[in-house]
Amino acid sequence: MLRRHDVVLTGSLSPGKDGDRLTDPTVVRRLYTRFRAQTLTGLTLVYAFFYTTRSVLDVVKKPLINAGIYDTDELGTIGACLLGAYAVGKLVNGFIADRVMASRFLAIGLLVSALANVAMGMNTGFYMACALWTVNGYFQGVGAAASVKSLTHWFSGRERGRVYGIWSAAHSLGEGATLTATAGLVVLLGWRAGFLAPGFACILVAAAALFVLKDRPQVYGLPEVHDWKGEPHTDTIASTRAAQFDVLKNPAIWVCAVSSALMYVTRYGVKSWGVLYLQDERGFSLLGAGGFLFVNTVSGFFGSIAYGFVSDVLFKGRRPPATLLFGALEVAALFVLFYGPHNDWILMGAIFVYGFTLSGILAVLGGLFAVDMSSKKAAGMAMGFIGFISYLGAVIQEKLSGALLKAHTVLLPDGTKHIDDFSQPIALWIGGSIASMLLAATLWRVKARE
């Protein structure tokens, strides 16, 4: 029975049927332990690869500008196409993820994004780039919703902060690979390699995901996770449809979503334009800028994990106190990063603290708190709704930052283009973090459903 359900390659997205219930506690514990470790590791690594096919535009902007292929306003538009489609994809695919086999849905999303990257590496047309990055953005929206839905099947409410923090470290892994490996390939082989290499790699990863990732525990004859952990069921919503509608009716989730959108103004401001800022404002090379921001991704890896433990253990599962603590430190780091002295060690320290704290905030506002407040039957919907609103903020930032930077782009005597003033976008990015922190503080008394 176990082998029959372990790898299903029929092509159907329908969830697997419950298997015959296993009665031996030793077998149940052994399978649960192995499958949970495999699920968490697999989801984290697969979602990290989603970022390699999403973040490549961040490191090839300078080569594309210097080659005269796109200007900053066009790059802002292309980036906005991805983020706008990603917002819609988060919402729609979150709705779908609650109704399908999440593991297989995840693999399909990564495959289509990989193919869009391969096509992008063969293209120089602006409108085609917009179309390809729109497709990429939509299918990128599969990643988070399907991953979180799968996590809620295998981990209980009391474990969620720690597990979500570990999984959320995927964005640091993916961005780190983009800032180092992809940037190195671009320097050696040109901008096309930045799209082609992660595209081909993710085709292989998507195929592997079909074999590695798991369906629900019940498919393998295992009990529901709350039953196995001996935790009470406090979720009384009977149907998936009612649970999803309950997400949209919850005012606290709307506040969380707007706060997340403001945080995404900062996140994508630094993520999308940080390499360019370090090159034009601080004088770094492409590899130097990528290496410096790699510090941000390394610290982010530990920050998301630390947030999960701080909120679960120190604050007994309460997210708002941990969010306020991380938010205050993140704003302070931004001021040092953009207005501090031109000292590499101080700059590196600011980037480290920024990445560490941002990843924790990203974990909670970007989905964890909304999932806490929702029924497990609507985990995908909660994640998708938060993502939809969040990326509307990212879209506005992307287009606005690109337009502001274009107004301050000058042509140097050697024929390269240089941005001589980042002050307006920086004010936008820092303002987003401050507003997000203050709005999130209004959720101080909100508690998790389970």
Side-chain angles (χ1 to χ4, degrees), residues 164-188:
Y164 194 100
I166 293 170
W167 168 79
S168 188
H171 86 266
S172 295
L173 295 173
E175 289 179 6
T178 303
L179 290 168
T180 53
T182 303
L185 287 171
V186 171
V187 170
L188 291 174

PDB file of all heavy atoms in Angstrom, residues 164-188:
ATOM      1  N   TYR A 164       7.979  26.978   9.693  1.00  0.00           N
ATOM      2  CA  TYR A 164       7.818  28.029   8.686  1.00  0.00           C
ATOM      3  C   TYR A 164       9.092  28.855   8.582  1.00  0.00           C
ATOM      4  O   TYR A 164       9.491  29.262   7.487  1.00  0.00           O
ATOM      5  CB  TYR A 164       6.626  28.916   9.061  1.00  0.00           C
ATOM      6  CG  TYR A 164       6.145  29.828   7.961  1.00  0.00           C
ATOM      7  CD1 TYR A 164       5.029  29.514   7.196  1.00  0.00           C
ATOM      8  CD2 TYR A 164       6.818  31.011   7.672  1.00  0.00           C
ATOM      9  CE1 TYR A 164       4.585  30.346   6.196  1.00  0.00           C
ATOM     10  CE2 TYR A 164       6.383  31.855   6.666  1.00  0.00           C
ATOM     11  CZ  TYR A 164       5.271  31.524   5.926  1.00  0.00           C
ATOM     12  OH  TYR A 164       4.858  32.360   4.928  1.00  0.00           O
ATOM     13  N   GLY A 165       9.735  29.101   9.717  1.00  0.00           N
ATOM     14  CA  GLY A 165      10.983  29.853   9.690  1.00  0.00           C
ATOM     15  C   GLY A 165      12.061  29.135   8.905  1.00  0.00           C
ATOM     16  O   GLY A 165      12.816  29.758   8.146  1.00  0.00           O
ATOM     17  N   ILE A 166      12.160  27.815   9.085  1.00  0.00           N
ATOM     18  CA  ILE A 166      13.148  27.035   8.327  1.00  0.00           C
ATOM     19  C   ILE A 166      12.821  27.069   6.843  1.00  0.00           C
ATOM     20  O   ILE A 166      13.690  27.311   6.000  1.00  0.00           O
ATOM     21  CB  ILE A 166      13.191  25.588   8.853  1.00  0.00           C
ATOM     22  CG1 ILE A 166      13.736  25.562  10.284  1.00  0.00           C
ATOM     23  CG2 ILE A 166      14.052  24.711   7.940  1.00  0.00           C
ATOM     24  CD1 ILE A 166      13.598  24.204  10.964  1.00  0.00           C
ATOM     25  N   TRP A 167      11.548  26.817   6.501  1.00  0.00           N
ATOM     26  CA  TRP A 167      11.161  26.840   5.081  1.00  0.00           C
ATOM     27  C   TRP A 167      11.378  28.225   4.477  1.00  0.00           C
ATOM     28  O   TRP A 167      11.831  28.351   3.329  1.00  0.00           O
ATOM     29  CB  TRP A 167       9.697  26.429   4.937  1.00  0.00           C
ATOM     30  CG  TRP A 167       9.151  26.700   3.564  1.00  0.00           C
ATOM     31  CD1 TRP A 167       9.337  25.944   2.452  1.00  0.00           C
ATOM     32  CD2 TRP A 167       8.369  27.831   3.164  1.00  0.00           C
ATOM     33  NE1 TRP A 167       8.710  26.531   1.371  1.00  0.00           N
ATOM     34  CE2 TRP A 167       8.112  27.687   1.784  1.00  0.00           C
ATOM     35  CE3 TRP A 167       7.861  28.939   3.846  1.00  0.00           C
ATOM     36  CZ2 TRP A 167       7.367  28.621   1.070  1.00  0.00           C
ATOM     37  CZ3 TRP A 167       7.118  29.865   3.129  1.00  0.00           C
ATOM     38  CH2 TRP A 167       6.876  29.701   1.763  1.00  0.00           C
ATOM     39  N   SER A 168      11.065  29.275   5.225  1.00  0.00           N
ATOM     40  CA  SER A 168      11.210  30.636   4.722  1.00  0.00           C
ATOM     41  C   SER A 168      12.661  30.993   4.416  1.00  0.00           C
ATOM     42  O   SER A 168      12.927  31.919   3.657  1.00  0.00           O
ATOM     43  CB  SER A 168      10.625  31.631   5.737  1.00  0.00           C
ATOM     44  OG  SER A 168      10.586  32.943   5.213  1.00  0.00           O
ATOM     45  N   ALA A 169      13.606  30.243   5.002  1.00  0.00           N
ATOM     46  CA  ALA A 169      15.018  30.461   4.690  1.00  0.00           C
ATOM     47  C   ALA A 169      15.318  30.160   3.227  1.00  0.00           C
ATOM     48  O   ALA A 169      16.400  30.510   2.730  1.00  0.00           O
ATOM     49  CB  ALA A 169      15.899  29.603   5.596  1.00  0.00           C
ATOM     50  N   ALA A 170      14.361  29.535   2.527  1.00  0.00           N
ATOM     51  CA  ALA A 170      14.561  29.226   1.102  1.00  0.00           C
ATOM     52  C   ALA A 170      14.844  30.485   0.291  1.00  0.00           C
ATOM     53  O   ALA A 170      15.628  30.450  -0.664  1.00  0.00           O
ATOM     54  CB  ALA A 170      13.333  28.513   0.546  1.00  0.00           C
ATOM     55  N   HIS A 171      14.205  31.596   0.651  1.00  0.00           N
ATOM     56  CA  HIS A 171      14.432  32.803  -0.159  1.00  0.00           C
ATOM     57  C   HIS A 171      15.871  33.292  -0.011  1.00  0.00           C
ATOM     58  O   HIS A 171      16.459  33.815  -0.956  1.00  0.00           O
ATOM     59  CB  HIS A 171      13.408  33.889   0.189  1.00  0.00           C
ATOM     60  CG  HIS A 171      13.758  34.758   1.343  1.00  0.00           C
ATOM     61  ND1 HIS A 171      13.325  34.503   2.620  1.00  0.00           N
ATOM     62  CD2 HIS A 171      14.505  35.897   1.428  1.00  0.00           C
ATOM     63  CE1 HIS A 171      13.781  35.440   3.436  1.00  0.00           C
ATOM     64  NE2 HIS A 171      14.498  36.287   2.752  1.00  0.00           N
ATOM     65  N   SER A 172      16.480  33.076   1.156  1.00  0.00           N
ATOM     66  CA  SER A 172      17.888  33.442   1.318  1.00  0.00           C
ATOM     67  C   SER A 172      18.782  32.518   0.509  1.00  0.00           C
ATOM     68  O   SER A 172      19.764  32.967  -0.105  1.00  0.00           O
ATOM     69  CB  SER A 172      18.276  33.384   2.798  1.00  0.00           C
ATOM     70  OG  SER A 172      17.568  34.348   3.544  1.00  0.00           O
ATOM     71  N   LEU A 173      18.459  31.231   0.502  1.00  0.00           N
ATOM     72  CA  LEU A 173      19.249  30.287  -0.285  1.00  0.00           C
ATOM     73  C   LEU A 173      19.171  30.620  -1.773  1.00  0.00           C
ATOM     74  O   LEU A 173      20.190  30.640  -2.480  1.00  0.00           O
ATOM     75  CB  LEU A 173      18.751  28.857  -0.044  1.00  0.00           C
ATOM     76  CG  LEU A 173      18.922  28.285   1.370  1.00  0.00           C
ATOM     77  CD1 LEU A 173      18.232  26.930   1.469  1.00  0.00           C
ATOM     78  CD2 LEU A 173      20.403  28.156   1.706  1.00  0.00           C
ATOM     79  N   GLY A 174      17.950  30.876  -2.253  1.00  0.00           N
ATOM     80  CA  GLY A 174      17.776  31.172  -3.673  1.00  0.00           C
ATOM     81  C   GLY A 174      18.394  32.485  -4.086  1.00  0.00           C
ATOM     82  O   GLY A 174      19.064  32.571  -5.128  1.00  0.00           O
ATOM     83  N   GLU A 175      18.191  33.524  -3.290  1.00  0.00           N
ATOM     84  CA  GLU A 175      18.786  34.822  -3.616  1.00  0.00           C
ATOM     85  C   GLU A 175      20.299  34.765  -3.494  1.00  0.00           C
ATOM     86  O   GLU A 175      21.021  35.395  -4.282  1.00  0.00           O
ATOM     87  CB  GLU A 175      18.211  35.894  -2.696  1.00  0.00           C
ATOM     88  CG  GLU A 175      16.757  36.232  -3.006  1.00  0.00           C
ATOM     89  CD  GLU A 175      16.198  37.290  -2.075  1.00  0.00           C
ATOM     90  OE1 GLU A 175      16.966  37.837  -1.257  1.00  0.00           O
ATOM     91  OE2 GLU A 175      14.994  37.579  -2.159  1.00  0.00           O
ATOM     92  N   GLY A 176      20.802  33.996  -2.523  1.00  0.00           N
ATOM     93  CA  GLY A 176      22.247  33.855  -2.383  1.00  0.00           C
ATOM     94  C   GLY A 176      22.870  33.194  -3.596  1.00  0.00           C
ATOM     95  O   GLY A 176      23.928  33.627  -4.090  1.00  0.00           O
ATOM     96  N   ALA A 177      22.213  32.147  -4.105  1.00  0.00           N
ATOM     97  CA  ALA A 177      22.716  31.480  -5.305  1.00  0.00           C
ATOM     98  C   ALA A 177      22.700  32.422  -6.507  1.00  0.00           C
ATOM     99  O   ALA A 177      23.610  32.417  -7.349  1.00  0.00           O
ATOM    100  CB  ALA A 177      21.871  30.237  -5.596  1.00  0.00           C
ATOM    101  N   THR A 178      21.663  33.261  -6.580  1.00  0.00           N
ATOM    102  CA  THR A 178      21.562  34.213  -7.689  1.00  0.00           C
ATOM    103  C   THR A 178      22.658  35.274  -7.606  1.00  0.00           C
ATOM    104  O   THR A 178      23.268  35.629  -8.621  1.00  0.00           O
ATOM    105  CB  THR A 178      20.177  34.889  -7.683  1.00  0.00           C
ATOM    106  OG1 THR A 178      19.167  33.887  -7.746  1.00  0.00           O
ATOM    107  CG2 THR A 178      20.028  35.826  -8.879  1.00  0.00           C
ATOM    108  N   LEU A 179      22.916  35.775  -6.406  1.00  0.00           N
ATOM    109  CA  LEU A 179      23.903  36.841  -6.231  1.00  0.00           C
ATOM    110  C   LEU A 179      25.333  36.367  -6.398  1.00  0.00           C
ATOM    111  O   LEU A 179      26.237  37.176  -6.642  1.00  0.00           O
ATOM    112  CB  LEU A 179      23.735  37.475  -4.847  1.00  0.00           C
ATOM    113  CG  LEU A 179      22.470  38.307  -4.641  1.00  0.00           C
ATOM    114  CD1 LEU A 179      22.281  38.629  -3.173  1.00  0.00           C
ATOM    115  CD2 LEU A 179      22.527  39.587  -5.470  1.00  0.00           C
ATOM    116  N   THR A 180      25.574  35.073  -6.271  1.00  0.00           N
ATOM    117  CA  THR A 180      26.932  34.553  -6.395  1.00  0.00           C
ATOM    118  C   THR A 180      27.109  33.757  -7.685  1.00  0.00           C
ATOM    119  O   THR A 180      27.819  34.178  -8.590  1.00  0.00           O
ATOM    120  CB  THR A 180      27.289  33.691  -5.173  1.00  0.00           C
ATOM    121  OG1 THR A 180      26.280  32.683  -4.991  1.00  0.00           O
ATOM    122  CG2 THR A 180      27.359  34.546  -3.916  1.00  0.00           C
ATOM    123  N   ALA A 181      26.447  32.602  -7.763  1.00  0.00           N
ATOM    124  CA  ALA A 181      26.628  31.729  -8.922  1.00  0.00           C
ATOM    125  C   ALA A 181      26.141  32.378 -10.213  1.00  0.00           C
ATOM    126  O   ALA A 181      26.851  32.396 -11.230  1.00  0.00           O
ATOM    127  CB  ALA A 181      25.902  30.407  -8.683  1.00  0.00           C
ATOM    128  N   THR A 182      24.921  32.926 -10.183  1.00  0.00           N
ATOM    129  CA  THR A 182      24.385  33.548 -11.403  1.00  0.00           C
ATOM    130  C   THR A 182      25.189  34.780 -11.795  1.00  0.00           C
ATOM    131  O   THR A 182      25.494  34.989 -12.981  1.00  0.00           O
ATOM    132  CB  THR A 182      22.902  33.921 -11.211  1.00  0.00           C
ATOM    133  OG1 THR A 182      22.161  32.757 -10.842  1.00  0.00           O
ATOM    134  CG2 THR A 182      22.324  34.504 -12.491  1.00  0.00           C
ATOM    135  N   ALA A 183      25.551  35.614 -10.820  1.00  0.00           N
ATOM    136  CA  ALA A 183      26.356  36.797 -11.121  1.00  0.00           C
ATOM    137  C   ALA A 183      27.696  36.397 -11.719  1.00  0.00           C
ATOM    138  O   ALA A 183      28.197  37.038 -12.653  1.00  0.00           O
ATOM    139  CB  ALA A 183      26.560  37.620  -9.853  1.00  0.00           C
ATOM    140  N   GLY A 184      28.303  35.333 -11.184  1.00  0.00           N
ATOM    141  CA  GLY A 184      29.572  34.856 -11.736  1.00  0.00           C
ATOM    142  C   GLY A 184      29.437  34.397 -13.173  1.00  0.00           C
ATOM    143  O   GLY A 184      30.300  34.682 -14.023  1.00  0.00           O
ATOM    144  N   LEU A 185      28.343  33.691 -13.472  1.00  0.00           N
ATOM    145  CA  LEU A 185      28.105  33.249 -14.848  1.00  0.00           C
ATOM    146  C   LEU A 185      27.898  34.429 -15.786  1.00  0.00           C
ATOM    147  O   LEU A 185      28.353  34.415 -16.944  1.00  0.00           O
ATOM    148  CB  LEU A 185      26.886  32.327 -14.892  1.00  0.00           C
ATOM    149  CG  LEU A 185      27.073  30.921 -14.330  1.00  0.00           C
ATOM    150  CD1 LEU A 185      25.734  30.197 -14.243  1.00  0.00           C
ATOM    151  CD2 LEU A 185      28.044  30.128 -15.197  1.00  0.00           C
ATOM    152  N   VAL A 186      27.219  35.465 -15.310  1.00  0.00           N
ATOM    153  CA  VAL A 186      26.992  36.654 -16.138  1.00  0.00           C
ATOM    154  C   VAL A 186      28.312  37.341 -16.453  1.00  0.00           C
ATOM    155  O   VAL A 186      28.553  37.774 -17.593  1.00  0.00           O
ATOM    156  CB  VAL A 186      26.027  37.626 -15.423  1.00  0.00           C
ATOM    157  CG1 VAL A 186      25.948  38.955 -16.171  1.00  0.00           C
ATOM    158  CG2 VAL A 186      24.635  37.004 -15.317  1.00  0.00           C
ATOM    159  N   VAL A 187      29.199  37.441 -15.467  1.00  0.00           N
ATOM    160  CA  VAL A 187      30.509  38.067 -15.690  1.00  0.00           C
ATOM    161  C   VAL A 187      31.322  37.260 -16.708  1.00  0.00           C
ATOM    162  O   VAL A 187      31.979  37.816 -17.593  1.00  0.00           O
ATOM    163  CB  VAL A 187      31.277  38.197 -14.358  1.00  0.00           C
ATOM    164  CG1 VAL A 187      32.726  38.621 -14.606  1.00  0.00           C
ATOM    165  CG2 VAL A 187      30.590  39.205 -13.450  1.00  0.00           C
ATOM    166  N   LEU A 188      31.267  35.927 -16.612  1.00  0.00           N
ATOM    167  CA  LEU A 188      32.067  35.073 -17.486  1.00  0.00           C
ATOM    168  C   LEU A 188      31.460  34.901 -18.872  1.00  0.00           C
ATOM    169  O   LEU A 188      32.173  34.929 -19.887  1.00  0.00           O
ATOM    170  CB  LEU A 188      32.240  33.696 -16.846  1.00  0.00           C
ATOM    171  CG  LEU A 188      33.120  33.612 -15.595  1.00  0.00           C
ATOM    172  CD1 LEU A 188      33.062  32.206 -15.007  1.00  0.00           C
ATOM    173  CD2 LEU A 188      34.562  33.993 -15.926  1.00  0.00           C
TER     174      LEU A 188
END
